[in-house]
Amino acid sequence: MEVRRLGVDDAPLAQAVWADVRNGDTSGDAFAQWLACDERLFVAALDAGRPVGFALGYVLERTDALRRMVLLYEIEVAKAHRRRGVGRRLVEEVKAIARAYGAGKIWCVAEAGNQAARALYTSTGSEEADADFAVFTWHEPSFGDPEREE
């Protein structure tokens, strides 16, 4: 199995990985534009050239520290390839990329009930934070119109 970071020149392959593994829309130039930023990570897992998984992340600058950190935003493995080490290989590649950036930390969020994700992350050396927090999201148009009445 090949696991590697894809760049802007790999946009067609990244689109294929996204479409095959996540069943996501890949129309237009959005993927190439997204991959053009060096602080965005798209790591693909290919088995005999076939997409079987990916990890998506962001390199973040800190205001309170000199070292960067990496947000592992999403990891997905095709159902037929789960529990075969694909997720582990993806996480290990993200760790290698984080080291290359000089990052001091990698972090991610997993749903409390997602036992597979939690097991993957702890088996690859992460520590689960003892945190009790809520996630809040804003959706357009709530942030797009300052005159909007509540």
Side-chain angles (χ1 to χ4, degrees), residues 75-96:
I75 189 166
E76 186 74 37
V77 175
K79 287 181 182 175
H81 289 82
R82 290 181 183 162
R83 302 197 53 83
R84 296 184 183 180
V86 176
R88 175 180 291 280
R89 296 274 307 274
L90 288 164
V91 170
E92 293 302 328
E93 184 63 20
V94 170
K95 289 166 61 175

Side-chain angles (χ1 to χ4, degrees), residues 4-70:
R4 67 179 175 97
R5 182 179 183 184
L6 302 183
V8 69
D9 294 336
D10 302 306
L13 177 57
Q15 287 176 302
V17 171
W18 184 265
D20 288 359
V21 176
R22 194 170 193 272
N23 299 316
D25 179 23
T26 61
S27 59
D29 294 336
F31 242 99
Q33 291 175 16
W34 191 86
L35 289 168
C37 179
D38 194 46
E39 282 75 32
R40 297 175 186 153
L41 311 176
F42 191 90
V43 178
L46 306 167
D47 186 12
R50 271 190 60 218
V52 297
F54 69 85
L56 186 146
Y58 300 88
V59 179
L60 304 172
E61 298 290 337
R62 298 286 306 243
T63 58
D64 61 343
L66 296 176
R67 299 182 76 188
R68 295 172 172 172
M69 65 179 167
V70 172

